[in-house]
Amino acid sequence: MSQTAGKLKVDFVNGAVGHRLRFGGGRGQALAKAMGLRAGKTPKIVDATAGLGRDSFLLASLGAQVVMIERSAEMHALLADGMDRAFQEGGAFREIVDRMTLLHGDAKDLLPGLNSEAILIDPMHPPRKSSALVKQELRLVREIVGTDDDAADLVRVALDHASKRVVLKWPQKADPIPGIRPWSHQILGKSTRYDVFMVG
Ligand SMILES: C[S@@+](CC[C@H](N)C(=O)[O-])C[C@H]1O[C@@H](n2cnc3c(N)ncnc32)[C@H](O)[C@@H]1O
């Protein structure tokens, strides 16, 4: 494990993720809306860029089955450890983790073999000028995985294999990723935007 991975921990029970679980806004949150979660509608989700698993955990806490894909061996190990600890915590945490399945590999290779209704893509974006403001945690993730320069290819593969929608999460102020077809609609969060590509 690298020195950086030693400083990072996936913690679904305490901290920001646990807080959001207790006080979050349910299916009205921008991510949930973007993924198509509504009353009576819970799509099968693939999170193609699992990272620290926060988005997957939120979606699973709202009742969705989520298959998570992570290609970095270090991030995958951190995720597996975090899921394990949340499972051991029991109660609601165990129920949520039971809805999450973690895979190791490149989503471009694995998506064709999965049956997904909605695919989430949240690539590591290039550092911006205000990098001092970038959260410490995300800076550490970037030290491990670098920048995901193949995001446009991943979106194209996802569009070929989702039955309902593909959602690209991207900072509101960052330049758009070139080479991707126009989105169907956008959902704007505080600093993040969700470009939703409807399929079929
Ligand atoms: C910005 S982070 C995702 C953060 C995540 N949404 C969360 O809530 O914690 C991007 C992650 O996606 C992974 N990733 C990027 N492209 C990938 C691909 N093609 N297949 C699998 N994992 C990928 C990176 O290794 C990195 O860990």
Side-chain angles (χ1 to χ4, degrees):
M1 192 189 271
S2 73
Q3 276 195 327
T4 304
K7 289 182 217 153
L8 255 186
K9 185 174 173 190
V10 170
D11 188 356
F12 295 124
V13 179
N14 305 295
V17 178
H19 183 270
R20 204 168 168 196
L21 176 64
R22 285 182 284 275
F23 305 105
R27 292 186 173 211
Q29 295 172 76
L31 171 66
K33 279 203 259 180
M35 297 308 293
L37 269 73
R38 281 176 269 146
K41 269 246 180 304
T42 311
K44 275 198 270 181
I45 292 174
V46 175
D47 180 352
T49 54
L52 292 167
R54 289 171 300 199
D55 290 331
S56 285
F57 187 83
L58 175 76
L59 293 165
S61 77
L62 298 172
Q65 297 287 338
V66 185
V67 174
M68 308 152 71
I69 309 176
E70 176 53 56
R71 67 177 164 192
S72 151
E74 287 176 326
M75 295 305 301
H76 179 269
L78 290 173
L79 274 170
D81 174 57
M83 286 169 69
D84 207 35
R85 272 181 287 104
F87 188 84
Q88 299 304 332
E89 185 73 18
F93 290 102
R94 179 172 293 208
E95 278 173 33
I96 294 167
V97 170
D98 263 340
R99 288 186 212 110
M100 298 161 70
T101 306
L102 175 62
L103 304 179
H104 183 208
D106 192 311
K108 298 196 294 304
D109 302 325
L110 299 182
L111 283 175
L114 295 171
N115 177 6
S116 19
E117 290 180 320
I119 299 176
L120 172 63
I121 299 176
D122 175 21
M124 227 41 238
H125 47 84
R128 282 176 291 147
K129 278 191 223 113
S130 59
S131 59
L133 298 173
V134 173
K135 282 201 193 119
Q136 164 83 350
E137 250 186 350
L138 270 189
R139 224 169 35 73
L140 292 173
V141 175
R142 192 183 289 120
E143 277 176 30
I144 296 174
V145 308
T147 310
D148 296 324
D149 296 327
D150 57 347
D153 289 339
L154 177 55
V155 172
R156 279 190 286 270
V157 173
L159 285 168
D160 283 342
H161 295 283
S163 63
K164 294 205 168 128
R165 65 178 70 199
V166 174
V167 175
L168 175 63
K169 180 176 173 181
W170 198 241
Q172 275 208 44
K173 293 202 176 121
D175 292 334
I177 300 175
I180 299 180
R181 76 160 221 215
W183 57 80
S184 313
H185 61 274
Q186 274 189 320
I187 304 229
L188 301 181
K190 270 185 226 135
S191 53
T192 304
R193 62 170 215 249
Y194 298 91
D195 295 347
V196 182
F197 304 81
M198 299 305 290
V199 177

